[in-house]
Amino acid sequence: DQQVKQNSPSLSVQEGRISILNCDYTNSMFDYFLWYKKYPAEGPTFLISISSIKDKNEDGRFTVFLNKSAKHLSLHIVPSQPGDSAVYFCAASAVDNAGNMLTFGGGTRLMVKP
Amino acid sequence: SAVISQKPSRDICQRGTSLTIQCQVDSQVTMMFWYRQQPGQSLTLIATANQGSEATYESGFVIDKFPISRPNLTFSTLTVSNMSPEDSSIYLCSVDDRADGYTFGSGTRLTVV
């Protein structure tokens, strides 16, 4: 049972346009959400996060939106650049007895065309 | 944010042998997590390593196959034992640093032949 889902395995966007990556979750206990970017042969790197008490967090070209009622979050990249081409993972965390466990979505491969 | 040094970055190993992966953190952290990413799949949590206690393993992962050490608050190892080609994967350690989210090591790409 996947608790965090990224239903689009890939996304292709023209340079300069907006990239929107989506993520859905099922566990209402999740209270912190993160986006990671991963290049081939490298570990994922943290990109941006949002707490469940907020509905938007912005950092430069990257904005994450959280819709708790819909259990949905999205990452907007504006404007998209060729260097943004990578796999993007959303992740969610909930405090439980084992600590801040992280649950990842399956990833979306973003391709930004020049 | 924490900085993690993970070694080795990659290795090619013979079937039936074992490989130990090390993660060194530049600050003291309570919990370290070990993940596996198999080709075409998302990251899967293997276990959580607390200093001074036995690691907590996720369903499908056992200590005999993936023994973990956590001798202090800055260091942990994961051993992949009696390897088979199905163990070929990227292995990642991470720490929980809420200020910046989760910090990951650079990963170990393991190929078992």
Side-chain angles (χ1 to χ4, degrees):
Chain A
D1 178 31
Q2 268 189 298
Q3 296 188 66
V4 179
K5 291 184 181 180
Q6 293 175 255
N7 291 317
S8 298
S10 65
L11 175 68
S12 183
V13 172
Q14 202 68 36
E15 181 179 10
R17 308 294 286 267
I18 184 172
S19 295
I20 300 176
L21 298 102
N22 294 304
C23 181
D24 297 289
Y25 62 96
T26 58
N27 188 344
S28 58
M29 297 300 293
F30 288 142
D31 64 346
Y32 195 61
F33 304 88
L34 311 95
W35 282 94
Y36 285 86
K37 179 179 180 180
K38 183 184 180 301
Y39 291 114
E42 295 181 14
T45 55
F46 170 75
L47 197 56
I48 192 170
S49 65
I50 188 168
S51 166
S52 61
I53 64 173
K54 300 176 72 174
D55 54 19
K56 177 183 175 181
N57 188 26
E58 189 174 1
D59 183 3
R61 296 185 298 115
F62 301 91
T63 303
V64 56
F65 296 92
L66 175 62
N67 183 335
K68 288 188 292 294
S69 61
K71 293 190 175 67
H72 176 83
L73 68 154
S74 61
L75 174 68
H76 293 210
I77 305 173
V78 182
S80 301
Q81 299 174 355
D84 296 328
S85 297
V87 177
Y88 289 79
F89 291 91
C90 69
S93 120
V95 177
D96 60 21
N97 290 336
N100 297 328
M101 307 306 293
L102 197 64
T103 303
F104 279 86
T108 296
R109 181 175 300 279
L110 173 65
M111 292 162 285
V112 180
K113 298 178 180 178
Chain B
S1 61
V3 176
I4 303 176
S5 173
Q6 182 172 345
K7 297 188 293 187
S9 59
R10 60 180 61 232
D11 208 341
I12 301 173
C13 300
Q14 294 292 322
R15 181 195 300 256
T17 62
S18 298
L19 175 71
T20 296
I21 303 167
Q22 301 179 4
C23 275
Q24 179 76 51
V25 190
D26 68 345
S27 58
Q28 293 185 337
V29 292
T30 304
M31 285 185 171
M32 293 181 71
F33 304 93
W34 287 97
Y35 290 87
R36 180 173 74 181
Q37 183 187 5
Q38 293 184 299
Q41 299 183 25
S42 184
L43 294 176
T44 302
L45 180 66
I46 297 172
T48 303
N50 294 335
Q51 192 271 332
S53 63
E54 286 196 2
T56 304
Y57 288 83
E58 296 300 299
S59 176
F61 298 96
V62 295
I63 188 171
D64 290 345
K65 176 67 176 176
F66 297 101
I68 288 173
S69 78
R70 186 79 203 276
N72 56 55
L73 291 173
T74 63
F75 187 77
S76 179
T77 67
L78 169 76
T79 299
V80 186
S81 303
N82 188 24
M83 288 183 285
S84 66
E86 291 71 33
D87 295 319
S88 297
S89 184
I90 295 175
Y91 292 85
L92 292 147
C93 64
S94 77
V95 299
D96 177 13
D97 180 355
R98 267 295 171 97
D100 285 327
Y102 288 79
T103 301
F104 283 85
S106 54
T108 297
R109 181 178 293 277
L110 171 63
T111 303
V112 184
V113 298

